Structures are given as structure tokens and as C-alpha cells.
Amino acid sequence: MPKVASRLEQIPPYLFAELDRQRQEAVARGVDVIDLGIGDPVDPAPPRVVERLAEAARDPAAHRYPSYEGSPRFRRAVAGWYRRRFGVELDPARQVMALIGSKEGLAHLIWAYAGPGDAVLVPDPAYPVYRVQTLLAGAEPWTLPLERGRGFLPDLEAVPAEVARRAKLLFLNYPNNPTAAVAGLDFWEEAVAWAREHDVLLVSDAAYVENTFDGFRAPSVLQVPGATDCAVEFYSLSKPFNMTGWRIAAAVGNAEALAALGRVKTNLDSGQFTAVQEAAVAALEEVGEPFVARMNEIYRRRRDRAVAALVRAGLAVEPSRGSFYLWVPTPGGEPAAAFAARLFRETGVLVAPGSAYGAKGEGFFRISLTVPDDRLEEAMRRIEEGFRP
Ligand SMILES: *Cc1c(COP(=O)(O)O)cnc(C)c1O
């Protein structure tokens, strides 16, 4: 066998691998493992969405290659959602494009814009895709540290002029994975102004834009006047509609950026199954906000119980206003991987070490609220009763 490409060798080692190994070993020993590490809802997709998929799959027209940019119906449904939810007008033909999940779109946008000599501004901690794809594309990821003292919002003024000149893309993600921080419209206004001044494409990863609590409603970057001149947003059905396995999302905003992304995509994929797009139309047009509100109420209740239990156990966690995570400082600043391993050994509860999301995630761990209530209760009971942080 030949050696893999050198570009593959520069990908950092997968930090969950060791925990995963420990988990498999524990399961084999008969330990009742509770996995709070993965952010993947166990609750099912809305029944109407499943029905619509089955119905649409019976139409032979859906069995042929789908359109590259997404079906006109899907693109109109996304534009309709943006009008109703955010008050944002989009041209479905030029400013909305279907994706096979937003991860795919985020990754390929980097290939459309960044190569050797270019810089890509990447938050730390962050969803690993931005950084790893930047490296694969041969460009330089420039770290934007997210500090607790700034509400995990980056200080864009701290980016050196020389880096800003070479920067092509600025990745931002609020509500944020993994820190659970949220951003208001004032932050997006600053970010748009910065992107415009430096001729950088602002990329808003809006995976959790619908998952908010306590009356807070997360804005879209496109609510900033003129944002479509310099911004694209990735809107995914995965998290709000429990559809992570369905692989359906949309890129919206700047038409030139979508055309560039489309040039990459037409050369390597052939679009999402039309029946899945039809099911997504049902999610947006028939199921909509009441379903999302019900899920958010479930996450809020789990959040409150988990926060109360963790505080009783001596951990300094604050309730999040967005995403379905809790971002918790380790006791006494214990290294995240060591803490996660110790917690797992003593309780069988698996959490994600913050260091898996970047150097700035060191000293934190992430808990996901996507497990059933009784499993979360049991995990919290074990932490409260059997564990000395
Ligand atoms: C889950 C997640 C995604 C991926 O969503 P898909 O549409 O399922 O690919 C993107 N960004 C962040 C920050 C996420 O947590």
C-alpha cells in the first residue's frame, strides 16, 4: 500500500480516540456507560417529516439525480423561513443553496476560497471542521481565542493587519459549540463591519440558531443591513428538527460566494435526494416553530437539572442561553483529558474534554443535553454521589 498524502498526515490526532477506546473497554466489562459526549439528539424527527419522506420516495421523479443547487421548492421554503423567522428577504434562485448537511458546505466553502498563502480566521475552541479543512486546503488557520471574560466572543480588533490582509474567510458560530455562548445583533454588526473593511467573507455557522432559552432568540447575521454583501450563513435542519442523520441544510446569503461553493460541489457531489428535500420542506412549512419550541423546553429543563446537580457537586457551571451544551470549567483547572478520564473511571459518565476543540478549550469539559431525561438524571446522581471533583 502507498503512503497516504502528506496533507492527511498534518491532521491533528483525533482526541476522542482514547476516550472511545476506554469506553469500548468499559462496555465490554459490563459498565453501564452514559454518554454525554456526543451532541446528537436521541429524540426522533417529527412524524410528519418521516411521512413526507416516505410519500416523496414513492415518486419515481425523485429517483433521478437531484438538481445541484437544490430543488426550487426546498430553496423557496428556506427563503420563506428566513422571511418569517428573521425578517430577511432572500432570492431563492441565487441566495439559497441546498447542502448535504452544513458540515459538507462549510468544508467545501474553504476549498472555494482558501489555498496556500491565504489565512482563514478560526475561533478556538471550535467545531474542528473549520481548522482541519483549512489545513487540508493548504491555507493557514489563524486562531481567534474565545475567552470567558469576553463572553466567548472573539476580539476582531486584535487580528494583526498583516493577517487581515491575507484573510479570506472569518468563521463564527453562535449559539456556539462547544462554549454554549450566544451573540446578539450588536456583535454581528461589528463582525460585518470588520469583514467589509478587510474584504473578508464572513461565514456564520448557524447550526444552533433555533436552540435558545429563557426568552432569548438568536439573530441571523443576515439581519444586519447589507450583510449579504460580505456574508454567508449555514442553516441546518439537523439540530432544531432532530434530523442529524438526514443530511440536509442550506447555505444562504452572498450570491457570489454560493456560486463559488457550487463550483466546488458540482465537481464532487450530485445534490441531496429530492425526497429528503421534500421532507425538509415539510419540517420548515408544516412542523416549524412549535416543534422547535417543545424541544427547547425539554433542553431547558434538562439544563436546569444538570446545572443544579453540577453546582451541588462543586462545579462552577453557568446556565447556557443557547445550543444544547453545558461548558463546564474543570475543578481546580485540572487538564480536561485527565478530568474526563477520571470522571469516566469513577462514574461511567462520558463527557467531551474541552481540549478536543482547541488549545483554548483546555480546562473545560462539555456536557450534551441530548440524552433521555432518565439517563441524564442517572448521570447527575452518579456525579453528585460518587464523585469528588
Ligand atoms: C452539528 C454541527 C454542524 C453540522 O451540522 P450538519 O448540518 O448536521 O452537518 C455544524 N456546525 C456546528 C457548530 C455543529 O455543532
Side-chain angles (χ1 to χ4, degrees):
M1 281 294 289
K3 228 161 84 74
V4 298
S6 57
R7 83 172 77 82
L8 200 61
E9 281 167 347
Q10 27 149 4
I11 294 183
Y14 191 54
L15 274 155
F16 290 108
E18 173 56 20
L19 271 180
D20 216 50
R21 195 191 56 72
Q22 290 175 21
R23 176 167 90 128
Q24 284 175 24
E25 200 184 274
V27 169
R29 278 203 319 273
V31 175
D32 176 27
V33 172
I34 303 178
D35 190 351
L36 305 182
I38 306 175
D40 186 0
V42 291
D43 301 277
R48 174 62 196 139
V49 171
V50 178
E51 272 167 31
R52 186 67 194 109
L53 173 72
E55 223 171 76
R58 282 187 209 105
D59 177 1
H63 300 182
R64 310 189 61 207
Y65 280 119
S67 88
Y68 283 111
E69 313 79 19
S71 75
R73 281 172 50 78
F74 174 74
R75 286 186 288 162
R76 276 201 302 275
V78 171
W81 181 271
Y82 265 73
R83 185 182 315 115
R84 294 191 302 279
R85 166 72 172 85
F86 302 112
V88 167
E89 288 298 328
L90 295 168
D91 174 0
R94 297 169 50 252
Q95 296 179 313
V96 181
M97 191 156 97
L99 302 171
I100 309 171
S102 59
K103 184 180 193 178
E104 173 267 294
L106 290 160
H108 291 138
L109 186 69
I110 295 170
W111 287 89
Y113 277 96
D118 297 327
V120 173
L121 305 178
V122 175
D124 181 351
Y127 186 57
V129 172
Y130 321 136
R131 182 185 168 81
V132 171
Q133 289 295 335
T134 297
L135 289 169
L136 284 177
E140 179 197 349
W142 180 267
T143 298
L144 298 172
L146 304 185
E147 307 283 359
R148 198 183 196 186
R150 295 183 54 93
F152 299 109
L153 300 172
D155 180 5
L156 295 173
E157 295 313 320
V159 177
E162 178 275 326
V163 175
R165 246 193 322 277
R166 288 187 295 121
K168 293 292 201 68
L169 303 169
L170 162 60
F171 279 94
L172 295 170
N173 161 231
Y174 295 98
N176 183 256
N177 176 13
T179 68
V182 297
L185 199 56
D186 51 341
F187 172 75
W188 289 116
E189 279 165 1
E190 278 171 35
V192 166
W194 191 93
R196 186 176 287 134
E197 183 190 335
H198 295 94
D199 200 24
V200 164
L201 177 61
L202 195 172
V203 186
S204 158
D205 178 353
Y208 300 93
V209 74
E210 308 298 357
N211 295 110
T212 55
F213 318 110
D214 307 335
F216 176 72
R217 295 273 275 161
S220 159
V221 68
L222 300 182
Q223 286 171 247
V224 177
T228 44
D229 295 347
C230 63
V232 285
E233 185 156 84
F234 287 80
Y235 187 91
S236 175
L237 281 89
S238 287
K239 312 293 166 54
F241 295 104
N242 300 338
M243 291 172 69
T244 51
W246 296 56
R247 315 311 304 134
I248 183 74
V252 300
N254 187 271
E256 199 181 307
L258 296 197
L261 173 58
R263 264 164 74 186
V264 176
K265 279 171 59 58
T266 47
N267 282 291
L268 57 81
D269 72 54
S270 301
Q272 178 53 285
F273 185 24
T274 311
V276 168
Q277 297 187 55
E278 279 299 311
V281 172
L284 294 172
E285 293 189 343
E286 298 176 51
V287 176
E289 302 224 30
F291 179 87
V292 179
R294 266 197 313 281
M295 284 311 304
N296 284 342
E297 184 49 24
I298 291 171
Y299 295 134
R300 186 202 56 77
R301 207 180 55 230
R302 289 179 190 158
R303 177 201 68 175
D304 289 347
R305 290 187 188 176
V307 166
L310 293 169
V311 167
R312 282 196 299 270
L315 291 159
V317 58
E318 282 161 32
S320 42
R321 283 201 298 162
S323 82
F324 39 53
Y325 304 112
L326 290 174
W327 186 240
V328 192
T330 60
E334 184 176 350
F339 173 83
R342 186 164 69 87
L343 179 71
F344 183 58
R345 238 183 0 257
E346 294 180 18
T347 64
V349 175
L350 210 57
V351 298
S355 46
Y357 302 91
K360 284 282 170 184
E362 189 48 279
F364 290 88
F365 65 96
R366 194 193 75 174
I367 280 187
S368 177
L369 302 170
T370 53
V371 292
D373 290 355
D374 59 328
R375 297 301 281 163
L376 188 68
E377 297 276 352
E378 168 64 13
M380 291 304 133
R381 195 192 57 73
R382 289 186 202 171
I383 292 174
E384 261 193 84
E385 293 174 9
F387 184 69
R388 286 289 136 262

